[in-house]
Amino acid sequence: MHRILSSQLPQYIGETVNVAGWVHRRRLLAKVAFVVLRDREGLLQIVCKESAVPAEEQVVAVTGRVVANEAAPGGVELVEPVFTVLGEAEPPPVELFRPELNASLPMLLDHAAVTLRHPQRKKVFAASAKAVGAFRRALDERGFTEVFTPKIVGSATESGANVFEIDYFGAKAYLAQSPQFYKQTMVGVFERVYEVGPVFRAEPHDTSRHLATYTSLDAELGFIENHRDVMAVLTEVIRAMVGAVEEFGFQAAVPAQIPVLHFQEALKIAGAPEDEPDLAPEHERALGEWAAREHGSDFLYVEGYPMRKRPFYTHPQPGEPRWSNSFDLLFRGLELVTGGQRLHRHEDYLAALNHDTGSLETYLEAFRHGMPPHGGFAIGLERFMARLTGASNVRETTLFPRDLHRVAP
Amino acid sequence: MHRILSSQLPQYIGETVNVAGWVHRRRLLAKVAFVVLRDREGLLQIVCKESAVPAEEQVVAVTGRVVANEAAPGGVELVEPVFTVLGEAEPPPVELFRPELNASLPMLLDHAAVTLRHPQRKKVFAASAKAVGAFRRALDERGFTEVFTPKIVGSATESGANVFEIDYFGAKAYLAQSPQFYKQTMVGVFERVYEVGPVFRAEPHDTSRHLATYTSLDAELGFIENHRDVMAVLTEVIRAMVGAVEEFGFQAAVPAQIPVLHFQEALKIAGAPEDEPDLAPEHERALGEWAAREHGSDFLYVEGYPMRKRPFYTHPQPGEPRWSNSFDLLFRGLELVTGGQRLHRHEDYLAALNHDTGSLETYLEAFRHGMPPHGGFAIGLERFMARLTGASNVRETTLFPRDLHRVAP
């Protein structure tokens, strides 16, 4: 007999059906036992006359009759069950049946194989998958092409710092810190590209928002006027991502126009000294509060960051070479996205690198042979989900995080 | 004025429009010059009265009037053009305007930044992106959830061989050879999962079908009867992928039922000795010819491979422990996909590992706490595209391949 899912149960009232899943909870009362079964769609209640019911986390197939019961979750329950055990289980290291998972962060991560089964944990990653789907769909609809670029590179990408070295058939190679150079190169092929993939940072900082590897949602597009065209695409992407997670109860305010501040104005509003070269975390927090208060927005663009704090491929602000055509997008007072217009003329790259092109020669080939004005952005998926869900640590929105101290499970 | 794309030109006959792209070709005749412009959608012809026209690969914006001309590609052309150069270009290292790119494989790869712009090269990767989109959509429709699992692992996944070692904050770690253990673990959370991402193999073989890193399309599903349920999903996924690339002129025959041979029958048909433990490339070729001849199919399943040639997590064939519930899917006589049913009982893992669980302890946690019968598969994206397009080398269907000798560009 065909297996049905918990969400389909209300369609089968009065019928005998097969369901299957994990024993989420069992409650043994004097004359009756309740089993709550968990499958990929949700939970369902089974009423048992006998006390010989399977243990929590055992995987079972159940044949039973569906009856309406207003008191049951979803208004239906299964009665007269016959259980077949498909997978035995030892008691889980945490109580998965509790509405809130009561576990420390190390416990959560050390036992991720089990703690991720908790409905609250599972929901975060189901939403994350939908957000990524929305990212791709928004770009597909706008003529972007997905690319897959190498994660092993012959030389460090943006700088020599924070790069993982690998033994590459006896020679040295590195893990890509970003697909930056490749996505720019691919603008020369497809004009508009995106990539969803891992990036690697040998991040020596042990903070709640840094990881040694995370999922970067990268996009790059050609034939732009300036970085504002990039921001326009990003705004629609963010709107799509936020829209896609609403079904899970996660919400964020994306106004029709996300407010934009120039870096100089941002410093003033944040109460920072006017010669600060970058925004410190407390400045970002103050700006996030300002955007919420003044514009009802959870997002805020800051554009025009000083050139000296941006990578060499950054395009300067025309007529104001101290400032750049780059931006950050803050989400509730934390940098979520970095982006901007890039240099596109070969000679500008030579000048930016003081003609010391070194290992970047192959990267520069695209620019030697004709590139349009272009720009792009990169969204940190785990950070997006952390801000969205209110998680205080980005490790809570990463399935199996990697950091200075953690390389398992 | 709004930029329009080459594909939209026929809608604007008689109007003055803006287009932009790369100068794909220029032909200077006695009294007229032709410029073929390339944008992300295709090519368009521009007729110039003056001989001062931009050089090949220069990026230009062009304002001109659209006129019908049956002799022009697409039936329209642009006249009275005014060019604005957006990006200068040196002459490309290969002649991109020729219908077929005349370049050796090293030339193709060394200058990928430019050679990928050739319409024939570009088409392969546009099709590849569509195939991946179809992979995801086929699984989304079947209740699968996308996951992102770590590419840095604390211990080698399947075996100690062919693994890249990295310097992980002064300690040793490795690049994941596959998401195998993680996708199985995630079956415990979502029942059905997939991942599209890089896998890493320190492959010492310098062949036309091996790479040091490639894009693996992984799926895993729970609550199966046996490996045949996995094959049923894979068949629909393959059908969707092949369907998605037809618009590019790439075709493959996927019959309603892809033929299935048991390993023992496959050996006979291939004319191999009956005690062979695996299929050699010449056997796979013979089987591919058999499937095409006897079933009109470009695809062929071989199931039941000997347990001793399959990894420890493979589920044996019930009642025939010499054989396994695993399979390969051959595409035109080459292994494209490996899959099968996995062990799901904790005690079966302990037995398979002779109770020497070592670094696999954390992997086994999912099995200790209840797992359903499950299985999955992994498709090599670049190999799929190579078979589909008739490329003789998988490097031709990889944007920036990595192998024993190549780590750039």
Side-chain angles (χ1 to χ4, degrees), chain A residues 151-231:
Chain A
K151 303 308 158 205
I152 297 175
V153 291
S155 53
T157 35
E158 312 229 356
S159 71
N162 300 353
V163 62
F164 286 113
E165 186 181 304
I166 78 167
D167 173 0
Y168 193 75
F169 301 113
K172 278 186 192 178
Y174 307 91
L175 293 181
Q177 293 163 296
S178 90
Q180 183 61 34
F181 302 163
Y182 293 104
K183 68 177 180 169
Q184 288 187 257
T185 294
M186 295 308 292
V187 164
V189 179
F190 289 119
E191 296 187 13
R192 303 181 147 212
V193 295
Y194 66 86
E195 178 162 16
V196 174
V199 296
F200 304 90
R201 310 276 169 104
E203 187 58 69
H205 303 298
D206 192 13
T207 82
S208 63
R209 61 206 174 100
H210 288 104
L211 293 170
T213 171
Y214 63 89
T215 303
S216 184
L217 310 182
D218 268 276
E220 198 80 12
L221 60 150
F223 298 99
I224 60 170
E225 191 72 37
N226 55 42
H227 63 293
R228 287 290 184 103
D229 288 342
V230 179
M231 287 157 63

Side-chain angles (χ1 to χ4, degrees), chain A residues 255 257-261 269 286-300:
Chain A
Q257 293 289 326
I258 293 177
V260 184
L261 291 175
I269 288 172
L287 289 164
E289 286 162 19
W290 177 86
R293 193 173 61 235
E294 299 293 323
H295 296 273
S297 177
D298 281 324
F299 294 90
L300 170 68

Side-chain angles (χ1 to χ4, degrees), chain A residues 143-155:
Chain A
F144 283 70
T145 300
E146 184 171 18
V147 295
F148 299 93
T149 71
K151 303 308 158 205
I152 297 175
V153 291
S155 53

Side-chain angles (χ1 to χ4, degrees), chain A residues 109 112-113 116 213 398-402 406 409, chain B residues 148-150 182 185-186:
Chain A
L109 303 181
L116 288 168
T213 171
T398 307
L399 286 176
F400 302 96
R402 296 290 181 258
R406 178 176 293 276
Chain B
F148 299 94
T149 71
Y182 293 104
T185 295
M186 293 310 290

Side-chain angles (χ1 to χ4, degrees), chain B residues 366-388:
Chain B
F367 302 98
R368 192 187 286 278
H369 299 291
M371 280 288 281
H374 65 282
F377 58 83
I379 307 172
L381 174 61
E382 296 82 355
R383 202 180 271 195
F384 173 75
M385 288 306 300
R387 298 314 280 169
L388 186 75

Side-chain angles (χ1 to χ4, degrees), chain A residues 3 22 40 86 90 111 117 136 146 152 165 167-168 182 191 344 365 368-370 402-403, chain B residues 3 22 40 90 111 117 136 146 152 165 167-168 182 191 344 365-366 368-370 402-403:
Chain A
R3 174 192 180 203
W22 286 258
R40 70 174 183 267
L86 302 176
E90 294 177 23
H111 298 283
R117 297 180 184 180
R136 292 197 196 97
E146 184 171 18
I152 297 175
E165 186 181 304
D167 173 0
Y168 193 75
Y182 293 104
E191 296 187 13
H344 66 280
E365 185 166 30
R368 192 186 286 278
H369 300 290
R402 296 290 181 258
D403 62 29
Chain B
R3 174 192 180 203
W22 286 257
R40 69 173 184 268
E90 295 177 23
H111 298 283
R117 296 180 185 180
R136 292 196 196 96
E146 183 172 17
I152 297 176
E165 187 181 303
D167 172 1
Y168 193 76
Y182 293 104
E191 294 185 16
H344 66 280
E365 185 168 29
R368 192 187 286 278
H369 299 291
R402 296 290 181 259
D403 62 29

